[in-house]
Amino acid sequence: MTKTWWKSSIVYQIYPRSFKDTTGNGIGDLYGIIEKLDYIQSLGVDIIWLCPVYESPNDDNGYDISDYRKISEEFGGDVAFDQLLAEMHKRGLKLMMDLVANHSSDEHPWFQQAKKGKDNPYHDYYIWKAGSPDTPPNNWQSVFNGSTWEWNAETEEYYLHLYTRKQPDLNWENPQLRKEIYAIIDFWFAKGVDGFRMDVISLISKRTEYKDVPKDMSFIDVMEKVYANGPKIHTYLKEMNQEVLSKYDIVTVGEGPGVNLEHGPRYVSDQEKELNMVFHFDHLTLDFGPDGKYDPVPVDFIRFKAIFSQWDEALGTTGWNSIFLGNHDFSRIVSRFGNDGEYREKSAKLLATVLMTLKGTPYIYQGDEIGMTNVSHDHIDAYDDVETRNAWAAAEAAGKDMDQFLKAVHWQSRDNARTPLQWSDAKNAGFSQHTPWIPVNENYAQINVDAAEKDPNSILHYYRKIIALRKAHPTLIYGEYKDLLPADPHLYCYKRWDQEATFLVIHNFSDTPTNWKLTEENHSLIQSNYSEVLATELSPWESRIYSLD
Ligand code: NOJ
């Protein structure tokens, strides 16, 4: 196993719109991040992953880029960005940007040109199919509902968009387009950026026959077998690596919808020379029901554990995992995998321990370090997210029970994770002087950074401790992993070991006390989220780390 800085690093993810507003327009900005760099550094993290901050009409909050080389004025523009990068590097923090190269905005000059005529030099930067306005080329459904095909009257063709119609897919078959993308990557590396998270990178190679999807295929299968892992994906990633990535000492993580155990190792193993890590979604789609994300079913805990074990095994010693439980596209981790009521504090600490003791690079999403929770607005109008709104409209059109659907929105909406970061109990949670672009969570008076700083027992202080603990013990980073109780319905118990040390980590993922006794004689307890530790029982959401001799 090779050891590198990005394997031993911890990543903190920022969703800039919701982080900190300094200009009083209700939208977070880069100066807000600069203001909070000392706070971020105090956590003990090494890398900041910044969600897109480029120029964008914001149909999908920056995941629709209209200028890949310009920072949006809304966020402070290029001047703010240069200052942010300098201030981060001064503190030894690295910056991972977000590369959105499966699609651009329809307002990008490339698309503006492309749609004008079939002989326009940019036309082939996108994916077109002939047809008539009432018959799309196939039955593909966009991730955000509706056909993936949009009619362009000027050329009498359809263009493909796997996301919104304002996010046309780029044509990676075109070598000139690929060159443009590599030049963009190079531009940012030359500026000093330390890496990229690559948005839906598993989707860039299309199955160009564009065959209909079988009617009864689940969304997860469509992703894996139809949209993702196309025939040239590894050719493109190898080329990208060769042309640009390999020239810098940087980190890459590919967002990998549809990347499963079979495909995963190819994207990240050392020999393949493609990416450093991927985000797979096996554990985050466990609650998708027969009708997908907004038809949720309970998470199968045994499967949840098995997924971590299977990926650990699949990546072996030549690949490397990313360890994350949520991000800006999923609900709050404490609400989804913990208990955000009575056991919010305990379960948030347990989840922090999971993140810091599994094998892989841990990713913390902003606000999880203070145990921020989901929101439950009673009206759809309080939701901003295009995915949520489109899913709502589709459900309404299908005549679904909308009270029931609102419950699904409460559980699954991406806005759960996008509410403004709760800095204090001041107006708007100390996020902005102005009404925020999206409502703050009502619980901000209790759950906020200020309060957490003052409480020595807070989730925030626990994060700092558990991060420091991981850093102090390379075994927790590189050591081997084995699940000791894979079939237990409540407990997740695993060993991490190498020649230096052995650790046993045990979590009680439940609201009930659970019998458990450590059998190893020579042990010392090095971390727990309870002050009193019982000999034969784990309390609700208790988490412990033992060092074994
Ligand atoms: C994944 C991003 O994380 C998400 O926010 C976005 O909507 C889609 N990709 C499309 O870019």
Short mmCIF file of all heavy atoms in Angstrom, two decimals, residues 258-310:
data_model
loop_
_atom_site.label_atom_id
_atom_site.label_comp_id
_atom_site.label_asym_id
_atom_site.label_seq_id
_atom_site.Cartn_x
_atom_site.Cartn_y
_atom_site.Cartn_z
N GLY A 258 -23.62 5.06 -10.30
CA GLY A 258 -23.57 3.85 -11.12
C GLY A 258 -22.27 3.08 -11.03
O GLY A 258 -22.11 2.04 -11.66
N VAL A 259 -21.32 3.60 -10.25
CA VAL A 259 -20.05 2.86 -10.10
C VAL A 259 -20.24 1.87 -8.97
O VAL A 259 -20.47 2.25 -7.82
CB VAL A 259 -18.87 3.82 -9.81
CG1 VAL A 259 -17.61 3.03 -9.52
CG2 VAL A 259 -18.64 4.75 -10.98
N ASN A 260 -20.19 0.60 -9.30
CA ASN A 260 -20.40 -0.42 -8.28
C ASN A 260 -19.11 -1.19 -8.03
O ASN A 260 -18.05 -0.85 -8.55
CB ASN A 260 -21.56 -1.34 -8.66
CG ASN A 260 -21.27 -2.04 -9.98
OD1 ASN A 260 -20.14 -2.03 -10.46
ND2 ASN A 260 -22.28 -2.66 -10.54
N LEU A 261 -19.25 -2.25 -7.25
CA LEU A 261 -18.06 -3.03 -6.84
C LEU A 261 -17.30 -3.57 -8.04
O LEU A 261 -16.08 -3.70 -8.01
CB LEU A 261 -18.52 -4.23 -6.00
CG LEU A 261 -18.88 -3.92 -4.57
CD1 LEU A 261 -19.59 -5.10 -3.96
CD2 LEU A 261 -17.62 -3.56 -3.79
N GLU A 262 -18.03 -3.87 -9.09
CA GLU A 262 -17.39 -4.44 -10.27
C GLU A 262 -16.55 -3.38 -10.99
O GLU A 262 -15.43 -3.62 -11.41
CB GLU A 262 -18.51 -4.96 -11.17
CG GLU A 262 -18.06 -5.63 -12.43
CD GLU A 262 -19.21 -5.69 -13.44
OE1 GLU A 262 -20.39 -5.74 -13.03
OE2 GLU A 262 -18.90 -5.65 -14.64
N HIS A 263 -17.11 -2.17 -11.11
CA HIS A 263 -16.42 -1.12 -11.86
C HIS A 263 -15.43 -0.33 -11.03
O HIS A 263 -14.43 0.17 -11.54
CB HIS A 263 -17.44 -0.13 -12.43
CG HIS A 263 -18.45 -0.74 -13.34
ND1 HIS A 263 -18.15 -1.12 -14.61
CD2 HIS A 263 -19.76 -1.07 -13.13
CE1 HIS A 263 -19.23 -1.63 -15.17
NE2 HIS A 263 -20.21 -1.64 -14.29
N GLY A 264 -15.76 -0.17 -9.73
CA GLY A 264 -15.00 0.74 -8.85
C GLY A 264 -13.49 0.61 -8.95
O GLY A 264 -12.79 1.61 -9.21
N PRO A 265 -12.94 -0.61 -8.78
CA PRO A 265 -11.48 -0.74 -8.75
C PRO A 265 -10.81 -0.19 -10.02
O PRO A 265 -9.72 0.36 -9.94
CB PRO A 265 -11.28 -2.25 -8.62
CG PRO A 265 -12.54 -2.74 -7.96
CD PRO A 265 -13.62 -1.86 -8.48
N ARG A 266 -11.46 -0.32 -11.15
CA ARG A 266 -10.83 0.18 -12.39
C ARG A 266 -10.62 1.69 -12.37
O ARG A 266 -9.66 2.20 -12.95
CB ARG A 266 -11.67 -0.19 -13.61
CG ARG A 266 -11.47 -1.61 -14.04
CD ARG A 266 -11.92 -1.84 -15.45
NE ARG A 266 -11.08 -1.21 -16.46
CZ ARG A 266 -11.36 -1.22 -17.75
NH1 ARG A 266 -12.46 -1.80 -18.17
NH2 ARG A 266 -10.57 -0.64 -18.63
N TYR A 267 -11.52 2.40 -11.74
CA TYR A 267 -11.40 3.86 -11.70
C TYR A 267 -10.23 4.30 -10.81
O TYR A 267 -9.68 5.38 -11.03
CB TYR A 267 -12.68 4.50 -11.13
CG TYR A 267 -13.86 4.54 -12.07
CD1 TYR A 267 -14.70 3.44 -12.23
CD2 TYR A 267 -14.17 5.71 -12.77
CE1 TYR A 267 -15.81 3.50 -13.06
CE2 TYR A 267 -15.28 5.77 -13.60
CZ TYR A 267 -16.09 4.66 -13.74
OH TYR A 267 -17.19 4.73 -14.57
N VAL A 268 -9.92 3.51 -9.79
CA VAL A 268 -9.00 4.04 -8.77
C VAL A 268 -7.75 3.21 -8.49
O VAL A 268 -6.93 3.64 -7.67
CB VAL A 268 -9.73 4.25 -7.42
CG1 VAL A 268 -10.86 5.26 -7.58
CG2 VAL A 268 -10.26 2.95 -6.83
N SER A 269 -7.59 2.06 -9.13
CA SER A 269 -6.42 1.29 -8.70
C SER A 269 -5.15 1.90 -9.29
O SER A 269 -5.15 2.50 -10.37
CB SER A 269 -6.58 -0.19 -9.03
OG SER A 269 -6.34 -0.38 -10.39
N ASP A 270 -4.07 1.77 -8.52
CA ASP A 270 -2.79 2.41 -8.86
C ASP A 270 -2.37 2.13 -10.30
O ASP A 270 -1.93 3.01 -11.03
CB ASP A 270 -1.68 1.92 -7.92
CG ASP A 270 -1.89 2.40 -6.50
OD1 ASP A 270 -2.70 3.33 -6.31
OD2 ASP A 270 -1.27 1.83 -5.58
N GLN A 271 -2.50 0.86 -10.71
CA GLN A 271 -2.02 0.47 -12.04
C GLN A 271 -2.78 1.16 -13.17
O GLN A 271 -2.23 1.39 -14.24
CB GLN A 271 -2.16 -1.05 -12.30
CG GLN A 271 -1.52 -1.95 -11.29
CD GLN A 271 -2.53 -2.32 -10.23
OE1 GLN A 271 -2.99 -1.46 -9.47
NE2 GLN A 271 -2.90 -3.60 -10.14
N GLU A 272 -4.06 1.44 -12.93
CA GLU A 272 -4.89 1.99 -14.03
C GLU A 272 -4.54 3.44 -14.37
O GLU A 272 -4.80 3.90 -15.47
CB GLU A 272 -6.38 1.87 -13.68
CG GLU A 272 -6.86 0.45 -13.47
CD GLU A 272 -6.93 -0.35 -14.77
OE1 GLU A 272 -6.96 0.26 -15.84
OE2 GLU A 272 -6.94 -1.59 -14.68
N LYS A 273 -4.03 4.15 -13.37
CA LYS A 273 -3.66 5.56 -13.58
C LYS A 273 -4.83 6.39 -14.13
O LYS A 273 -4.76 6.94 -15.23
CB LYS A 273 -2.44 5.68 -14.48
CG LYS A 273 -1.20 4.99 -13.94
CD LYS A 273 0.06 5.61 -14.45
CE LYS A 273 1.33 5.08 -13.84
NZ LYS A 273 1.25 4.01 -12.87
N GLU A 274 -5.88 6.43 -13.34
CA GLU A 274 -7.03 7.25 -13.71
C GLU A 274 -7.31 8.27 -12.61
O GLU A 274 -6.76 9.36 -12.64
CB GLU A 274 -8.25 6.35 -13.99
CG GLU A 274 -8.02 5.45 -15.21
CD GLU A 274 -9.20 4.59 -15.58
OE1 GLU A 274 -10.32 4.81 -15.06
OE2 GLU A 274 -9.02 3.66 -16.40
N LEU A 275 -8.07 7.86 -11.57
CA LEU A 275 -8.39 8.77 -10.48
C LEU A 275 -7.84 8.22 -9.17
O LEU A 275 -7.51 7.04 -9.07
CB LEU A 275 -9.91 8.92 -10.36
CG LEU A 275 -10.63 9.45 -11.61
CD1 LEU A 275 -12.14 9.39 -11.42
CD2 LEU A 275 -10.20 10.89 -11.91
N ASN A 276 -7.80 9.08 -8.14
CA ASN A 276 -7.35 8.61 -6.83
C ASN A 276 -8.47 7.90 -6.05
O ASN A 276 -8.24 6.91 -5.37
CB ASN A 276 -6.85 9.78 -5.97
CG ASN A 276 -5.64 10.47 -6.56
OD1 ASN A 276 -5.48 11.68 -6.43
ND2 ASN A 276 -4.77 9.71 -7.22
N MET A 277 -9.66 8.49 -6.13
CA MET A 277 -10.78 7.93 -5.36
C MET A 277 -12.07 8.13 -6.15
O MET A 277 -12.11 8.98 -7.04
CB MET A 277 -10.98 8.71 -4.04
CG MET A 277 -9.85 8.62 -3.06
SD MET A 277 -10.13 9.76 -1.66
CE MET A 277 -9.12 11.14 -2.13
N VAL A 278 -13.09 7.37 -5.80
CA VAL A 278 -14.44 7.68 -6.30
C VAL A 278 -15.40 7.78 -5.11
O VAL A 278 -15.13 7.25 -4.03
CB VAL A 278 -15.03 6.60 -7.27
CG1 VAL A 278 -14.40 6.68 -8.63
CG2 VAL A 278 -14.98 5.21 -6.69
N PHE A 279 -16.48 8.48 -5.33
CA PHE A 279 -17.62 8.41 -4.41
C PHE A 279 -18.60 7.44 -5.05
O PHE A 279 -19.17 7.72 -6.10
CB PHE A 279 -18.35 9.76 -4.32
CG PHE A 279 -17.60 10.86 -3.64
CD1 PHE A 279 -17.44 12.09 -4.26
CD2 PHE A 279 -17.07 10.70 -2.37
CE1 PHE A 279 -16.78 13.14 -3.64
CE2 PHE A 279 -16.40 11.74 -1.73
CZ PHE A 279 -16.25 12.96 -2.37
N HIS A 280 -18.75 6.27 -4.44
CA HIS A 280 -19.83 5.38 -4.91
C HIS A 280 -21.04 5.65 -4.03
O HIS A 280 -20.90 6.26 -2.95
CB HIS A 280 -19.39 3.91 -4.82
CG HIS A 280 -19.33 3.40 -3.41
ND1 HIS A 280 -20.46 3.02 -2.72
CD2 HIS A 280 -18.30 3.23 -2.54
CE1 HIS A 280 -20.13 2.63 -1.51
NE2 HIS A 280 -18.82 2.76 -1.37
N PHE A 281 -22.21 5.22 -4.48
CA PHE A 281 -23.43 5.55 -3.74
C PHE A 281 -24.15 4.33 -3.20
O PHE A 281 -25.32 4.42 -2.84
CB PHE A 281 -24.36 6.41 -4.61
CG PHE A 281 -23.75 7.75 -4.90
CD1 PHE A 281 -23.23 8.04 -6.14
CD2 PHE A 281 -23.64 8.70 -3.90
CE1 PHE A 281 -22.62 9.26 -6.40
CE2 PHE A 281 -23.03 9.92 -4.13
CZ PHE A 281 -22.52 10.20 -5.39
N ASP A 282 -23.44 3.22 -3.13
CA ASP A 282 -24.12 1.99 -2.70
C ASP A 282 -24.80 2.15 -1.34
O ASP A 282 -25.90 1.63 -1.12
CB ASP A 282 -23.11 0.83 -2.64
CG ASP A 282 -22.74 0.32 -4.02
OD1 ASP A 282 -23.33 0.81 -5.00
OD2 ASP A 282 -21.84 -0.53 -4.12
N HIS A 283 -24.13 2.84 -0.41
CA HIS A 283 -24.73 2.97 0.93
C HIS A 283 -25.74 4.11 0.99
O HIS A 283 -26.54 4.18 1.91
CB HIS A 283 -23.64 3.16 1.99
CG HIS A 283 -22.74 4.34 1.73
ND1 HIS A 283 -22.22 4.63 0.50
CD2 HIS A 283 -22.27 5.30 2.56
CE1 HIS A 283 -21.46 5.72 0.57
NE2 HIS A 283 -21.47 6.14 1.81
N LEU A 284 -25.69 5.03 0.01
CA LEU A 284 -26.59 6.18 0.07
C LEU A 284 -27.84 5.98 -0.79
O LEU A 284 -28.70 6.85 -0.85
CB LEU A 284 -25.86 7.45 -0.36
CG LEU A 284 -24.74 7.89 0.61
CD1 LEU A 284 -24.21 9.27 0.25
CD2 LEU A 284 -25.22 7.91 2.05
N THR A 285 -27.93 4.84 -1.43
CA THR A 285 -29.16 4.55 -2.18
C THR A 285 -29.93 3.41 -1.50
O THR A 285 -30.92 2.93 -2.04
CB THR A 285 -28.85 4.19 -3.65
OG1 THR A 285 -27.82 3.20 -3.67
CG2 THR A 285 -28.36 5.40 -4.43
N LEU A 286 -29.45 3.00 -0.32
CA LEU A 286 -30.10 1.88 0.36
C LEU A 286 -31.54 2.18 0.71
O LEU A 286 -32.34 1.26 0.87
CB LEU A 286 -29.34 1.56 1.67
CG LEU A 286 -28.10 0.70 1.55
CD1 LEU A 286 -27.43 0.57 2.91
CD2 LEU A 286 -28.46 -0.69 1.01
N ASP A 287 -31.88 3.46 0.87
CA ASP A 287 -33.26 3.77 1.23
C ASP A 287 -34.10 4.18 0.01
O ASP A 287 -35.19 4.70 0.16
CB ASP A 287 -33.32 4.84 2.33
CG ASP A 287 -32.68 6.15 1.92
OD1 ASP A 287 -32.19 6.26 0.78
OD2 ASP A 287 -32.65 7.08 2.76
N PHE A 288 -33.59 3.93 -1.18
CA PHE A 288 -34.41 4.18 -2.38
C PHE A 288 -35.37 3.00 -2.53
O PHE A 288 -34.97 1.85 -2.53
CB PHE A 288 -33.55 4.26 -3.65
CG PHE A 288 -32.73 5.52 -3.79
CD1 PHE A 288 -32.40 6.30 -2.69
CD2 PHE A 288 -32.29 5.94 -5.04
CE1 PHE A 288 -31.64 7.47 -2.82
CE2 PHE A 288 -31.54 7.10 -5.19
CZ PHE A 288 -31.21 7.86 -4.08
N GLY A 289 -36.65 3.33 -2.69
CA GLY A 289 -37.66 2.27 -2.83
C GLY A 289 -37.91 1.93 -4.29
O GLY A 289 -37.19 2.42 -5.18
N PRO A 290 -38.96 1.15 -4.57
CA PRO A 290 -39.24 0.73 -5.94
C PRO A 290 -39.38 1.91 -6.90
O PRO A 290 -39.02 1.83 -8.07
CB PRO A 290 -40.57 -0.03 -5.83
CG PRO A 290 -40.75 -0.32 -4.38
CD PRO A 290 -39.88 0.59 -3.59
N ASP A 291 -39.89 3.07 -6.38
CA ASP A 291 -40.06 4.23 -7.25
C ASP A 291 -38.92 5.23 -7.09
O ASP A 291 -39.06 6.40 -7.46
CB ASP A 291 -41.40 4.91 -6.95
CG ASP A 291 -42.43 4.57 -7.98
OD1 ASP A 291 -42.04 3.96 -9.01
OD2 ASP A 291 -43.62 4.89 -7.77
N GLY A 292 -37.81 4.78 -6.52
CA GLY A 292 -36.62 5.63 -6.45
C GLY A 292 -36.48 6.41 -5.16
O GLY A 292 -37.03 6.06 -4.12
N LYS A 293 -35.76 7.51 -5.27
CA LYS A 293 -35.35 8.29 -4.09
C LYS A 293 -36.53 8.80 -3.26
O LYS A 293 -36.51 8.77 -2.04
CB LYS A 293 -34.51 9.47 -4.59
CG LYS A 293 -34.01 10.38 -3.50
CD LYS A 293 -32.99 11.38 -4.04
CE LYS A 293 -32.56 12.33 -2.91
NZ LYS A 293 -31.56 13.31 -3.34
N TYR A 294 -37.58 9.28 -3.96
CA TYR A 294 -38.72 9.86 -3.24
C TYR A 294 -39.79 8.83 -2.90
O TYR A 294 -40.95 9.16 -2.68
CB TYR A 294 -39.28 11.06 -4.01
CG TYR A 294 -38.32 12.23 -3.94
CD1 TYR A 294 -37.30 12.39 -4.89
CD2 TYR A 294 -38.37 13.13 -2.87
CE1 TYR A 294 -36.39 13.44 -4.80
CE2 TYR A 294 -37.47 14.18 -2.77
CZ TYR A 294 -36.47 14.33 -3.74
OH TYR A 294 -35.57 15.36 -3.62
N ASP A 295 -39.36 7.58 -2.85
CA ASP A 295 -40.22 6.48 -2.43
C ASP A 295 -39.41 5.68 -1.40
O ASP A 295 -39.10 4.51 -1.62
CB ASP A 295 -40.56 5.63 -3.66
CG ASP A 295 -41.42 4.42 -3.32
OD1 ASP A 295 -42.16 4.49 -2.33
OD2 ASP A 295 -41.31 3.41 -4.04
N PRO A 296 -39.05 6.35 -0.29
CA PRO A 296 -38.03 5.75 0.57
C PRO A 296 -38.48 4.52 1.36
O PRO A 296 -39.65 4.40 1.72
CB PRO A 296 -37.66 6.89 1.54
CG PRO A 296 -38.81 7.82 1.51
CD PRO A 296 -39.47 7.68 0.18
N VAL A 297 -37.52 3.65 1.60
CA VAL A 297 -37.72 2.46 2.45
C VAL A 297 -36.66 2.53 3.55
O VAL A 297 -35.66 3.24 3.40
CB VAL A 297 -37.56 1.16 1.63
CG1 VAL A 297 -38.64 1.04 0.57
CG2 VAL A 297 -36.17 1.07 0.98
N PRO A 298 -36.85 1.80 4.67
CA PRO A 298 -35.84 1.85 5.74
C PRO A 298 -34.48 1.33 5.27
O PRO A 298 -34.40 0.45 4.41
CB PRO A 298 -36.42 0.94 6.83
CG PRO A 298 -37.85 0.77 6.48
CD PRO A 298 -37.99 0.95 5.01
N VAL A 299 -33.43 1.91 5.84
CA VAL A 299 -32.07 1.47 5.51
C VAL A 299 -31.82 0.08 6.12
O VAL A 299 -32.10 -0.13 7.29
CB VAL A 299 -31.03 2.47 6.08
CG1 VAL A 299 -29.61 1.94 5.95
CG2 VAL A 299 -31.16 3.82 5.39
N ASP A 300 -31.33 -0.84 5.32
CA ASP A 300 -30.99 -2.17 5.81
C ASP A 300 -29.58 -2.10 6.40
O ASP A 300 -28.59 -1.99 5.68
CB ASP A 300 -31.05 -3.15 4.62
CG ASP A 300 -30.65 -4.57 5.01
OD1 ASP A 300 -29.97 -4.74 6.03
OD2 ASP A 300 -31.00 -5.49 4.25
N PHE A 301 -29.50 -2.16 7.73
CA PHE A 301 -28.24 -1.91 8.42
C PHE A 301 -27.19 -2.98 8.11
O PHE A 301 -26.00 -2.70 8.00
CB PHE A 301 -28.53 -1.84 9.93
CG PHE A 301 -27.30 -1.66 10.79
CD1 PHE A 301 -26.50 -0.53 10.65
CD2 PHE A 301 -26.96 -2.61 11.74
CE1 PHE A 301 -25.37 -0.36 11.44
CE2 PHE A 301 -25.83 -2.45 12.53
CZ PHE A 301 -25.03 -1.32 12.38
N ILE A 302 -27.65 -4.21 7.94
CA ILE A 302 -26.69 -5.29 7.64
C ILE A 302 -26.06 -5.04 6.27
O ILE A 302 -24.85 -5.20 6.08
CB ILE A 302 -27.39 -6.67 7.71
CG1 ILE A 302 -28.07 -6.77 9.06
CG2 ILE A 302 -26.43 -7.82 7.36
CD1 ILE A 302 -27.78 -7.87 9.96
N ARG A 303 -26.89 -4.63 5.32
CA ARG A 303 -26.38 -4.28 3.99
C ARG A 303 -25.42 -3.09 4.08
O ARG A 303 -24.39 -3.04 3.43
CB ARG A 303 -27.54 -3.89 3.04
CG ARG A 303 -28.29 -5.01 2.44
CD ARG A 303 -27.57 -5.67 1.26
NE ARG A 303 -27.14 -4.74 0.20
CZ ARG A 303 -25.96 -4.76 -0.39
NH1 ARG A 303 -25.05 -5.66 -0.04
NH2 ARG A 303 -25.67 -3.90 -1.34
N PHE A 304 -25.82 -2.11 4.89
CA PHE A 304 -25.00 -0.90 5.08
C PHE A 304 -23.57 -1.29 5.48
O PHE A 304 -22.59 -0.86 4.88
CB PHE A 304 -25.67 -0.05 6.16
CG PHE A 304 -24.93 1.20 6.57
CD1 PHE A 304 -25.08 2.38 5.84
CD2 PHE A 304 -24.11 1.21 7.69
CE1 PHE A 304 -24.41 3.54 6.23
CE2 PHE A 304 -23.44 2.36 8.08
CZ PHE A 304 -23.59 3.53 7.34
N LYS A 305 -23.46 -2.17 6.46
CA LYS A 305 -22.12 -2.59 6.92
C LYS A 305 -21.42 -3.39 5.83
O LYS A 305 -20.22 -3.22 5.59
CB LYS A 305 -22.24 -3.46 8.19
CG LYS A 305 -22.78 -2.71 9.38
CD LYS A 305 -22.70 -3.57 10.64
CE LYS A 305 -23.67 -4.72 10.64
NZ LYS A 305 -23.63 -5.50 11.89
N ALA A 306 -22.20 -4.26 5.20
CA ALA A 306 -21.59 -5.13 4.18
C ALA A 306 -20.99 -4.30 3.06
O ALA A 306 -19.94 -4.65 2.50
CB ALA A 306 -22.65 -6.09 3.64
N ILE A 307 -21.64 -3.19 2.72
CA ILE A 307 -21.14 -2.34 1.62
C ILE A 307 -19.74 -1.81 1.96
O ILE A 307 -18.84 -1.84 1.12
CB ILE A 307 -22.15 -1.21 1.33
CG1 ILE A 307 -23.36 -1.81 0.59
CG2 ILE A 307 -21.52 -0.07 0.52
CD1 ILE A 307 -24.58 -0.94 0.55
N PHE A 308 -19.56 -1.37 3.20
CA PHE A 308 -18.22 -0.88 3.58
C PHE A 308 -17.19 -2.01 3.49
O PHE A 308 -16.07 -1.81 3.02
CB PHE A 308 -18.24 -0.24 4.98
CG PHE A 308 -18.83 1.13 4.96
CD1 PHE A 308 -20.14 1.35 5.36
CD2 PHE A 308 -18.10 2.22 4.49
CE1 PHE A 308 -20.70 2.63 5.31
CE2 PHE A 308 -18.64 3.49 4.43
CZ PHE A 308 -19.96 3.69 4.85
N SER A 309 -17.59 -3.19 3.93
CA SER A 309 -16.65 -4.32 3.92
C SER A 309 -16.34 -4.75 2.49
O SER A 309 -15.19 -5.01 2.14
CB SER A 309 -17.22 -5.50 4.70
OG SER A 309 -17.50 -5.09 6.01
N GLN A 310 -17.37 -4.81 1.67
CA GLN A 310 -17.15 -5.26 0.28
C GLN A 310 -16.27 -4.28 -0.49
O GLN A 310 -15.40 -4.68 -1.25
CB GLN A 310 -18.49 -5.43 -0.44
CG GLN A 310 -19.26 -6.63 0.05
CD GLN A 310 -20.74 -6.55 -0.31
OE1 GLN A 310 -21.22 -5.53 -0.80
NE2 GLN A 310 -21.48 -7.63 -0.06
#
